[in-house]
Amino acid sequence: MTAPTPPRPPASGPPSGPPSGPPPGTPPLAGFTPPPAPTGRPVWPPPEATVVTTGVSKSFGSLVAVSEMSFAVGPGVTALLGPNGAGKSTLIRLLCGLTAPSTGEILVAGGNPRFDREARRRLGLVPQQDGVFERERALEVVKLAATLSGLPDPEEQARVALNTVELDPDMKRPVGTFSKGMRQRVKIAQAIVHNPAVLVLDEPLNGLDPRQRRQMIALFHQLGNEGRTVLVSSHVLEEVERFGSHVLVIAKGRLAAQGDFHAIRDLMDDQPLRIRVHCQRPRVVASTLLQGGSVSGVAVTGEDEIEVTTTEVRTFRRAVAVACQVNGARLEEVVPLDDDLESVFRYLVGMGP
Amino acid sequence: MREIVALYRLLVRQQLTIGRLVLTGAFTGLAILVVVVIARAEDAVTQVESTVNFISVFGLGLMVPILSLVLASSSLGHLVEDETLVYLWIRPNPRWMLAFAAWLASASVAVPVATMPLMVAAAIGTGGDGQATFAVALSMALAAMAYTAIFTLLGLLIRRSLIWGLVYLFIWEFFVARVGQGAARLSINTYPASVLAELTEFELPLAERSLTNGIVVPIVVSVVAVALTGWRLNRANVA
C-alpha cells in the first residue's frame, strides 16, 4: 500500500481566508490541516497556488451542492475525495467555469475560466460523462481539441497525446465502438493535448483495467512532477492513496478536511474495511484467509467472489495474493467497497463514526 | 478561422445521419413528383401559377421549415443532450465562434438541400422560367437561413427541441400567422413568401411584405438569432 510521493503542493499549509470547512464542533484530525479559517493574515491566496476558491457556494434551488468552500492548491497531484453525491462534480464544474458560483470567487491559472479565455487555454478537463463524439475517430477528437486550443500542428500534437495514453492514433474505428476504458483514454488525451498548467479530472479511472489504472496514475504523477497542477476526483479511497499525498476531502458539499493522505489512511486503519475479491476457487481462498488471521470476517458471495472484512488492509493485500497462489486460484480483482468510506466521511463532518 | 472550420466540419458530420438523409430524400422526391403531376395535368397557362403556389405551400410552408428544424435543432441540441458540448465549450475560443459554426453547419446543409430540388421542381413546372426559378431559389435560401438560425438557438435553449419546434411550426407558422396581419408580421414564412410573390408576380398566402422587407428581415433574424445563441452559450450551465 505504498504510493509514490509526488512533491507536496505548496498550498497545503493553512491559508487564511473566509470561513469554510466542517461545521462547528467537528473534531480536529491528527495530521490534517483544517480548512482555512478567518485569521486576518493577509496571505490569501498563497502565491504558488494555481487553483484558488474563496468562499464558493453553489445552490440549485433549495439544494446547496457546494457550501462556503475555500482552498488553494498548487503544482503536484491533489486528490479530491468524497462519497458519491458529496459535491465533487459540482465543484469540478465550478473550477472549470462550466457553471457559475452562487457566491464566492474562483481563480484557475490566474483567471476565471468561465469568462477568461486565457485561463481556459491553461486548463484541461476530463469530464465524468462517458460521451465523446461517437462518430469520430480518436485522432479526430483529439485533433479538434488541439485545433481549438490554437496549437500550431494539431495532428502531430494529437498523435503525441494519443500515444501518451497508449492509443493507436491510426485506429480507424469511431469512438462510439470503443470500450469504456478506451473512451476514458481518449478523454484524457484531449485534455492533455495542449499541455495545460492545470488539469482537472473527474473520476478518470472509471472503466480502466488495473494495468491502465497504474499507467494513468503514473502519468498523473509525471504531469504533477513537471510542475502542473493535477486535481483528480475520486470516491474510491484506495485510488486516492495512489494519486498522491495531498487530499481535499469533500462531504455534504463542504470541505471537510485537507492535507496529507496518510492521516486519513491512519483513520481508515481503525475502521473495519469491506473488500470484495474476485478470484477462482473462492471457498478455498476464503478458508485460507480466515486461517491466516488477516481478516475478521469472510463471506462467499458468488461463484468467483468473496467479501471480507478487515482492519489490516496492508496485511490483507499480501495475504490474499499468497492465498490465491498457494491454492492455484487466479486472482482477478480486489475492490474496496465504497460503503466503508462513508464512516470516514461521517467522522470528518462531525457526525461520529 | 481554422477553429471555425474545425467546428463546422465536426458539426456537419454530426448532423448528417441516415434518418435525416432519408427525410431529405423523401421531401425532394415528393416535391419533384407533385410538380411533374401538375405539369402533366394542367395547361400551360395555369401550370406556372399552380407550380409557384405548390412551392409556396409545400416548400416554404412545410419542407424548408421542417428540414431546417431537423438539422438545426440537433446542431447544438445534440451536443447538449449527449453532454459533449463541454469539449467545445471549455476551449479558449469566443463563444460566438461556436454559435456561428453551429448555424453555418445547419444552414450550409439546409440551404442547398431545400433550394436545389425546389429549383428543379420550379424549372420543370414553369417550363424553364428563369425569373421564377431564381425567385424560388432566393426565397427558399432566405427561409432556410432564418429558420436554421432560430432552431439552432432553440436547440441550445430547450430539451426536446425537435418536438417544441414542430409545435411552434404547426401552431404559429401554419395556423396563427394566417389568422391576422399582426401575427403574420411575427411569422418567418411571410418574408420569403413575399419575395417569391414579388418576383413571380403571383398572389400567395402570407405574401404581404415588400421585396426589401422580404430580403432584409430573414437576414436580420439570422444575425440576431446567432448572436443570441452566442450570448446564451456564454451564460450556459454546461454538463
Side-chain angles (χ1 to χ4, degrees):
Chain A
M1 293 286 276
T2 54
T5 308
R8 189 181 173 84
S12 56
S16 64
S20 175
T26 301
L29 296 169
F32 265 75
T33 304
T39 62
R41 283 176 292 166
V43 292
W44 186 264
E48 308 88 345
T50 46
V51 176
V52 180
T53 70
T54 310
V56 167
S57 297
K58 178 69 182 179
S59 304
F60 299 98
S62 60
L63 174 73
V64 181
V66 170
S67 177
E68 284 291 312
M69 211 176 276
S70 297
F71 63 83
V73 294
V77 181
T78 297
L80 188 60
L81 177 65
N84 286 326
K88 297 189 302 295
S89 290
T90 303
L91 179 61
I92 280 180
R93 289 178 64 216
L94 287 164
L95 293 178
C96 296
L98 303 179
T99 188
S102 305
T103 58
E105 189 186 6
I106 295 168
L107 280 177
V108 173
N112 176 352
R114 189 156 175 81
F115 299 110
D116 185 342
R117 284 165 51 199
E118 284 311 306
R120 289 206 301 278
R121 196 182 297 282
R122 295 191 287 271
L123 174 66
L125 168 68
V126 177
Q128 190 175 19
Q129 59 262 30
D130 262 349
V132 194
F133 302 107
E134 305 283 297
R135 302 169 67 193
E136 303 296 315
R137 294 189 299 134
L139 182 63
E140 292 300 328
V141 172
V142 185
K143 195 171 129 188
L144 174 71
T147 304
L148 296 180
S149 297
L151 301 186
D153 187 351
E155 176 151 351
E156 181 54 31
Q157 297 297 322
R159 286 178 179 278
V160 170
L162 284 166
N163 283 324
T164 304
V165 296
E166 291 190 342
L167 276 180
D168 177 7
D170 294 314
M171 223 170 348
K172 302 291 181 210
R173 293 161 55 194
V175 174
T177 66
F178 282 13
S179 69
K180 193 170 178 180
M182 289 168 77
R183 282 165 187 248
Q184 200 70 354
R185 284 184 280 160
V186 174
K187 285 159 59 181
I188 294 172
Q190 64 80 33
I192 62 174
V193 68
H194 58 299
N195 249 336
V198 177
L199 183 61
V200 180
L201 306 101
D202 196 356
E203 307 269 0
L205 302 186
N206 282 355
L208 300 186
D209 64 35
R211 192 189 67 81
Q212 290 165 350
R213 284 175 181 234
R214 280 196 301 278
Q215 199 245 338
M216 282 303 136
I217 289 168
L219 174 64
F220 301 155
H221 282 301
Q222 182 195 325
L223 294 168
N225 291 340
E226 287 169 2
R228 294 183 184 81
T229 300
V230 182
L231 194 59
V232 195
S233 85
S234 176
H235 66 284
V236 181
L237 196 65
E238 304 302 310
E239 272 181 15
V240 171
E241 181 170 24
R242 287 179 278 172
F243 285 152
S245 62
H246 191 244
V247 293
L248 299 169
V249 182
I250 311 290
K252 299 195 169 190
R254 287 179 168 270
L255 181 61
Q258 62 176 312
D260 191 89
F261 171 78
H262 297 292
I264 199 172
R265 180 70 267 174
D266 292 343
L267 191 67
M268 278 300 293
D269 284 346
D270 296 333
Q271 303 285 327
L273 181 67
R274 287 191 308 130
I275 296 174
R276 182 175 294 144
V277 178
H278 288 275
C279 63
Q280 293 172 331
R281 309 185 68 198
R283 289 178 191 283
V284 185
V285 172
S287 171
T288 306
L289 284 171
L290 266 180
Q291 285 165 15
S294 63
V295 298
S296 52
V298 60
V300 178
T301 50
E303 285 182 8
D304 61 349
E305 184 182 290
I306 57 176
E307 204 173 291
V308 303
T309 309
T310 180
T311 54
E312 299 167 31
V313 176
R314 290 176 181 83
T315 310
F316 166 74
R317 287 212 162 183
R318 281 193 298 274
V320 72
V322 172
C324 287
Q325 192 179 19
V326 298
N327 290 302
R330 185 173 168 186
L331 178 60
E332 304 278 354
E333 196 176 23
V334 178
V335 187
L337 297 177
D338 296 342
D339 291 349
D340 296 289
L341 280 176
E342 300 293 343
S343 60
V344 176
F345 292 123
R346 279 198 298 274
Y347 182 79
L348 288 172
V349 295
M351 295 169 63
Chain B
M1 185 61 188
R2 71 186 180 135
E3 286 89 348
I4 292 180
V5 172
L7 286 168
Y8 169 80
R9 287 177 58 192
L10 172 84
L11 293 168
V12 164
R13 284 198 298 265
Q14 298 281 310
Q15 281 180 35
L16 293 180
T17 61
I18 290 172
R20 291 186 189 118
L21 290 174
V22 167
L23 181 74
T24 304
F27 269 128
T28 303
L30 188 61
I32 293 173
L33 183 71
V34 171
V35 168
V36 169
V37 170
I38 290 171
R40 289 190 172 202
E42 304 209 18
D43 59 52
V45 180
T46 57
Q47 179 188 324
V48 175
E49 187 172 358
S50 297
T51 298
V52 171
N53 254 312
F54 168 73
I55 287 174
S56 170
V57 172
F58 176 78
L60 277 180
L62 199 68
M63 179 172 165
V64 175
I66 288 180
L67 277 179
S68 301
L69 171 65
V70 168
L71 290 165
S73 64
S74 72
S75 190
L76 290 173
H78 182 69
L79 300 182
V80 172
E81 280 172 21
D82 73 359
E83 299 184 326
T84 50
L85 179 63
V86 63
Y87 296 106
L88 308 180
W89 197 94
I90 197 76
R91 297 291 159 192
N93 314 108
R95 303 272 154 65
W96 66 259
M97 211 178 250
L98 178 53
F100 178 70
W103 168 73
L104 192 64
S106 304
S108 67
V109 177
V111 169
V113 155
T115 305
M116 299 294 279
L118 291 171
M119 279 175 68
V120 171
I124 295 169
T126 62
D129 182 333
Q131 175 78 0
T133 307
F134 171 73
V136 167
L138 181 61
S139 56
M140 299 304 147
L142 287 166
M145 267 176 56
Y147 278 124
T148 48
I150 286 172
F151 293 138
T152 299
L153 174 62
L154 190 74
L156 178 66
L157 289 178
I158 54 175
R159 300 225 163 201
R160 298 192 186 91
S161 51
L162 185 63
I163 292 168
W164 287 111
L166 284 172
V167 169
Y168 158 74
L169 287 176
F170 282 107
I171 292 180
W172 189 263
E173 293 281 338
F174 302 163
F175 180 71
V176 177
R178 287 160 203 271
V179 173
Q181 281 277 334
R185 273 179 198 279
L186 296 174
S187 155
I188 296 296
N189 219 330
T190 192
Y191 298 95
S194 301
V195 172
L196 185 59
E198 286 285 331
L199 294 178
T200 56
E201 297 177 354
F202 289 118
E203 284 197 8
L204 297 171
L206 285 176
E208 287 159 4
R209 312 284 148 225
S210 67
L211 180 61
T212 309
N213 273 347
I215 293 171
V216 170
V217 171
I219 293 171
V220 170
V221 165
S222 304
V223 172
V224 170
V226 172
L228 281 174
T229 307
W231 178 82
R232 188 70 188 92
L233 272 172
N234 238 351
R235 281 150 187 79
N237 284 315
V238 181

